Amino acid sequence: MAARSAVGEGAVTWETKTVEGPDGLVCSVDRLASEAGTAVLRAGGNAVDAAIATSAALTVTTPHMCGMGGDLMALVAGPGTGPAQPLVLNASGRAGSGADPDRLRAEGHRTMPPLGDVRSAPVPGCVDGWLTLHGRLGRLPLAEVLAPAVELAERGFPTSPMLAFLLPKLAGVTGCDELVEAGVAAGESLRRPGPARMLRAIAAEGRAGFYGGEFGERLLEAGAGEYLHEDLDRPLADWVEGLVLEVWGHRVWTVPPNSAGVLALAGAGIAERAGLGADPDDPAWAHLTVEAARLAGLDRPRGLFEGADGRELIASDRLDARAAMVDPQRTVLRDDRYAGGGTIYLCATDGDGMGVSLIQSNAKEFGCHVAVPGTGVLLHNRGIGFSLEPGHPAEYGPGRRPPHTLSPTLVTRPNGSLRALLGTMGGDSQTQLVLQLLARLLVTGDDPAAVIGAPRWVLGTEGGTNFNVWEQPAGHRVRIEAHAPASWRPGLEERGHRVETARPDPAGFGHAHLIDFPADGPPRGAADARSLIGAAVAV
C-alpha cells in the first residue's frame, strides 16, 4: 500500500509504500544496499547478517553519509537475544591518546574544528561494530556477509543524485582521488577499489585486517600523533544495558548516553503526560510535539556525555515537571531562563522474527574531510560533539567518547514481543523526528507508509548548524515541510513559535525507516522517499 500526503503549492509529495516481508525485510537509504541485505537473507543469513551486509554496502555507495571511518550503534531483539530485553551495542569511537584540549584552546578554538582537522575524528568504531555483532549473533561466514559490498565496490554502482551533487565538496581533500577524479554524474558507474580492499581484509583477517592492517597504519600516519597503536588495539564496541521508557502502552528502547536517544524517550514521556492527541492535522499536535522535544532538549548541553545517567533524565518526577511546564496555548521557551547530515539508519528482520535497528554515521556529510591515505576511507567528525570548555563533562580528552546524535530505537510490547524498529538520520533533529514517528505509530496508529511519508517539523537556529540546535533554546525556529497540514503554520504562530515553511528539501527532514510487527500479520516496513533512492525490500 502507499501513502500520499496532501500537496500545497510548490510542495513535494513523498510517496511511500508499505512492503510486507513475512520471510525477511530490509529498509535503508539505498535500494542497492537493501538488496544486498535481502540477498544475504536468501542465502540463509539472519537479520544481523542482513544488517551488516546492508551497512557494508552503504559504506560503498553512500560515502557522503557513512563509511568505515565512522561509528555505529545498534539494538537487536528476537530469537537468540534472550527474552528479557534487546541487546544494545555502542560502537562509537574514542579520542586518541594525543587528544589535547589545551592545545586547541591555545590555537584559539572555542569549539571543535569541524573540517580539515583529524582531531575531530575519534578512532572509528564502525568495523568493530560489525565484527562484534557478527561474532555474537551472525549465522553466515563473514566473507559471505561482506561479499555484496565487495562486489559493488569492485564492479561499480550507479552514482546516486545526492552523491553526485555533493562530490565537488571534496575538491582539494587529499586522498579522495577515487571519488573526486571519477567526475561522475548521477547514474554513471563509480568504482571504489580502496574500500573493496579494506572489506576483503576484514573478511579475511577480521579486526587485525583493518585496525591492525593497512587502514590502521595509514590512520596513524594521518593522525600525526593523535593516535597510538594502543588506541587501535583497544576494542571500540561495547554491549551495554539498554535505556527504556514505558510510554503509550509500549516499552521504547534506545542506546544510553553518549547516545542522544534519551532525548527522544524524554520527549515521548513529556508528550504523553501533556495529553498529546491522535490527530496530527490539529496544530495542537504539532505544538505539543515541538514543546516536548524542546523541553527534553534542555538536558542536551550539559546532561549528555559518556557515563551520564540516562535513567535519571527520564525519571517520572523529572518528566512530570517538564510536562507541567507545557502550555497548550503558548510556547514556554520565549527566553533563555530555562536554559544534512552524514548518517544512515537501517532496519532489518528475518523469517524467524529477529529484528535489528542500526545507525551508522560520518556525522557531517563526508566527515572531517580527512581521508586515510590510499584506503578510500574518509574519517568522521563525531568529535565535534566534544566540548572545549574546561571541566565540562564532555570535554575533549584521550580515550573519551563524544556525545552522539545517533538515536536508534526499538519498541516492544508489554509482553516483550517486538513491535517496531525505527530511526533516522538528521543530526540534532534525530530525536525530534523519532518522537514524531513514535507518536504517529503508537498514538495515531498509522501504518508504516503513512508514518514515514507524513509531513514533519524540525527545529533550527538562525545561522546555526544541525549539531548546535540546543545551545540557544529561545532562538529556535520551527521549520515545517511544505506539504504539512494547512493548520500547522498559523496554529504554531498563534502560540508564539517562529515558523518557516521549507522549500523542497530531501535531506533537511531526515531519512527515516520503519519496520512494524503487527500482532496479527507479517512484518511490514517502509523506507523514506526523501532519500530519493531508499527502498524497503522483502525476501
Side-chain angles (χ1 to χ4, degrees), residues 57-69 152-153 156-160 162-186 188-196 362 364-379:
L58 288 166
T59 68
V60 173
T61 64
T62 64
H64 55 298
M65 302 179 76
C66 70
M68 285 176 274
L152 286 168
F157 57 91
T159 305
S160 71
M162 198 169 294
L163 175 56
F165 175 75
L166 290 173
L167 278 176
K169 290 194 173 188
L170 291 179
V173 177
T174 302
C176 295
D177 297 351
E178 70 175 32
L179 289 172
V180 176
E181 294 182 2
V184 292
E188 293 181 353
S189 182
L190 176 62
R191 294 177 60 250
R192 303 202 60 208
N362 287 341
K364 182 67 174 173
E365 292 175 350
F366 293 104
C368 67
H369 286 204
V370 175
V372 177
T375 67
V377 176
L378 286 149
L379 294 174

Side-chain angles (χ1 to χ4, degrees), residues 77-380:
T81 66
Q85 61 185 42
L87 296 176
V88 181
L89 185 73
N90 183 339
S92 59
R94 298 180 179 276
S97 295
D100 185 349
D102 290 332
R103 184 173 61 176
L104 280 170
R105 288 190 283 260
E107 293 172 7
H109 295 284
R110 299 183 63 185
T111 59
M112 295 294 292
L115 299 178
D117 198 316
V118 76
R119 292 173 291 187
S120 285
V123 179
C126 173
V127 172
D128 252 352
W130 292 345
L131 295 170
T132 303
L133 281 168
H134 184 265
R136 180 166 181 172
L137 298 165
R139 181 183 295 167
L140 293 180
L142 184 61
E144 290 186 37
V145 173
L146 297 181
V150 172
E151 182 175 0
L152 286 168
E154 291 182 338
R155 294 191 178 184
F157 57 91
T159 305
S160 71
M162 198 169 294
L163 175 56
F165 175 75
L166 290 173
L167 278 176
K169 290 194 173 188
L170 291 179
V173 177
T174 302
C176 295
D177 297 351
E178 70 175 32
L179 289 172
V180 176
E181 294 182 2
V184 292
E188 293 181 353
S189 182
L190 176 62
R191 294 177 60 250
R192 303 202 60 208
R197 198 168 63 254
M198 299 304 104
L199 288 165
R200 285 195 177 278
I202 295 164
E205 302 177 60
R207 196 175 197 282
F210 187 71
Y211 296 101
E214 179 185 356
F215 174 84
E217 289 303 314
R218 296 294 179 87
L219 178 63
L220 292 174
E221 294 174 15
E226 180 73 5
Y227 320 107
L228 300 179
H229 278 286
E230 46 262 44
D231 297 326
L232 277 62
D233 293 340
R234 178 181 185 176
L236 298 164
D238 301 315
W239 295 106
V240 297
E241 183 178 353
L243 191 62
V244 62
L245 180 70
E246 295 190 9
V247 61
W248 293 318
H250 291 76
R251 307 189 84 198
V252 181
W253 300 83
T254 192
V255 181
N258 58 321
S259 164
V262 63
L263 303 183
L265 269 56
I270 294 167
E272 181 183 43
R273 287 163 169 78
L276 182 71
D279 181 9
D281 289 344
D282 186 339
W285 187 95
H287 169 67
L288 288 178
T289 53
V290 167
E291 292 296 275
R294 294 178 77 193
L295 288 165
L298 294 178
D299 290 317
R300 169 63 178 83
R302 301 197 69 86
L304 184 65
F305 54 91
E306 184 183 17
D309 187 348
R311 291 171 297 184
E312 179 182 338
L313 298 178
I314 55 172
S316 292
D317 57 352
R318 191 184 193 93
L319 297 181
D320 290 343
R322 292 289 170 89
M325 295 167 63
V326 175
D327 182 340
Q329 301 303 323
R330 189 72 178 169
T331 179
V332 307
L333 295 174
R334 294 188 293 274
D335 55 49
D336 285 330
R337 65 184 182 273
Y338 294 114
T343 300
I344 64 91
Y345 172 77
L346 67 91
C347 43
T349 186
D350 56 32
D352 295 327
M354 176 185 282
V356 181
S357 180
L358 184 151
I359 196 161
Q360 177 186 337
S361 178
N362 287 341
K364 182 67 174 173
E365 292 175 350
F366 293 104
C368 67
H369 286 204
V370 175
V372 177
T375 67
V377 176
L378 286 149
L379 294 174
H380 64 153

